[in-house]
């Protein structure tokens, strides 16, 4: 009997790439341009993964809706400017072992790879192009077309696009938003401990890993129903 198709859906920021420096710098620039005091670094990174329209009210709860929109626009502009100046690969480098892990999983015939990210399509396209990763991901879910995490829409769309059953899919991410999204979509999850939420916030993860080298074996154990 042929093995069923399996799907591994990756978050991006804090999971595949270390973008914390550029995110914090651009957020501070955005707040400065709008004339507001910048939030703390921990608060900024704690909200990574949310779409901007949900993140800005959390970072500036006393600001107006117009200010939140201005912050989002300023952040996008600052991010694009930084990316153009430094290059995508330099501003958002892959975590150690990420490329090797993706290559290994991509080489397994019955395993498909996907992305579910709070990035825009334009931002994701630029990132995947920089590392020549686009061909590896058969489904790419972005903030432009879905409600923000932890709504399950991104994962549900990925399942629909690939035809993979939920029981054979796993979400890999670094935040509680990723874990909650997976639970809401009825799929299992792997929390990575090198990202923007600490291990203590990954409580809903089915499993956790401390490095990319461990991920393939953990996935195999999960698919074999060894929790």
């Amino acid at each position: 009997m042929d093995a069923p198709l399996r799907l591994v859906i990756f978050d991006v920021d804090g999971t595949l790439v270390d973008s914390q420096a550029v995110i914090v710098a651009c957020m501070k620039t955005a707040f400065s341009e709008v004339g507001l005091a910048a939030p703390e670094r921990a608060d900024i990174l704690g909200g990574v993964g949310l779409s901007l329209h949900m993140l800005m009210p959390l970072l500036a709860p006393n600001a107006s809706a117009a200010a939140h929109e201005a912050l989002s626009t300023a952040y996008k502009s600052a991010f694009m400017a930084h990316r153009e100046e430094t290059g995508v690969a330099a501003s958002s480098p892959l975590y150690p072992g990420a490329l090797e892990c993706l290559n290994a999983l991509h080489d397994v015939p019955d395993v498909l790879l996907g992305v579910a990210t709070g990035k825009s399509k334009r931002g994701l396209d630029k990132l995947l192009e920089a590392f020549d990763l686009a061909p590896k991901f058969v489904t790419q879910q972005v903030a432009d077309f879905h409600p923000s995490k932890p709504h399950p829409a991104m994962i549900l769309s990925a399942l629909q696009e690939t035809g993979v059953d939920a029981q054979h899919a796993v979400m890999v991410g670094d935040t509680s938003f990723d874990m909650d999204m997976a639970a809401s979509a009825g799929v299992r999850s792997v929390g990575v401990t090198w990202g923007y939420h600490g291990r203590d916030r990954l409580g809903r993860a089915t499993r956790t890993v401390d490095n990319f080298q461990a991920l393939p074996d953990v996935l195999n154990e999960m698919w074999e129903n060894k929790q």
Side-chain angles (χ1 to χ4, degrees):
M1 181 176 179
D2 292 337
L5 276 179
R6 296 161 176 174
L7 176 63
V8 186
I9 308 168
F10 286 91
D11 169 57
V12 177
D13 293 304
T15 300
L16 292 178
V17 299
D18 185 0
S19 50
Q20 61 178 308
V22 63
I23 289 173
V24 171
C26 293
M27 195 64 73
K28 290 183 175 180
T29 296
F31 272 75
S32 177
E33 290 184 0
V34 178
L36 296 174
E40 296 294 326
R41 176 187 181 88
D43 292 332
I44 295 171
L45 295 179
V48 173
L50 295 175
S51 300
L52 289 176
H53 75 275
M54 287 190 66
L55 176 58
M56 293 310 184
L58 294 178
L59 296 179
N62 298 321
S64 66
H68 295 152
E69 184 174 350
L71 285 169
S72 296
T73 299
Y75 175 81
K76 291 176 184 177
S77 297
F79 197 96
M80 286 188 290
H82 188 283
R83 185 178 60 200
E84 291 297 323
E85 180 180 348
T86 64
V88 177
S91 64
S92 299
L94 288 167
Y95 281 106
L99 183 58
E100 293 80 1
C101 180
L102 291 174
N103 286 338
L105 291 173
H106 184 258
D107 287 342
V108 180
D110 60 341
V111 172
L112 304 177
L113 302 182
V115 167
T117 176
K119 283 183 173 298
S120 67
K121 185 178 187 305
R122 179 178 180 181
L124 179 62
D125 287 347
K126 289 287 186 181
L127 183 72
L128 297 183
E129 179 184 0
F131 295 109
D132 193 27
L133 289 177
K136 297 189 186 302
F137 296 110
V138 299
T139 180
Q140 300 172 20
Q141 308 300 326
V142 296
D144 305 59
F145 311 120
H146 296 289
S148 177
K149 298 176 183 180
H151 193 284
M154 290 188 188
I155 291 180
L156 296 177
S157 291
L159 295 176
Q160 183 177 31
E161 286 184 7
T162 59
V164 175
D165 191 88
Q167 67 178 317
H168 300 307
V170 177
M171 177 70 204
V172 180
D174 70 302
T175 71
S176 60
F177 312 128
D178 298 313
M179 305 303 103
D180 291 344
M181 177 174 64
S184 295
V187 307
R188 289 177 289 181
S189 58
V190 175
V192 305
T193 61
W194 56 79
Y196 303 152
H197 284 186
R199 186 187 293 272
D200 60 319
R201 296 186 63 182
L202 300 175
R204 297 192 75 181
T206 309
R207 297 283 297 272
T208 59
V209 293
D210 297 322
N211 55 67
F212 269 109
Q213 289 75 17
L215 183 58
D217 286 342
V218 166
L219 290 171
N220 284 332
E221 290 172 5
M222 293 171 68
W223 284 322
E224 293 171 3
N225 292 319
K226 297 176 181 177
Q227 301 301 317

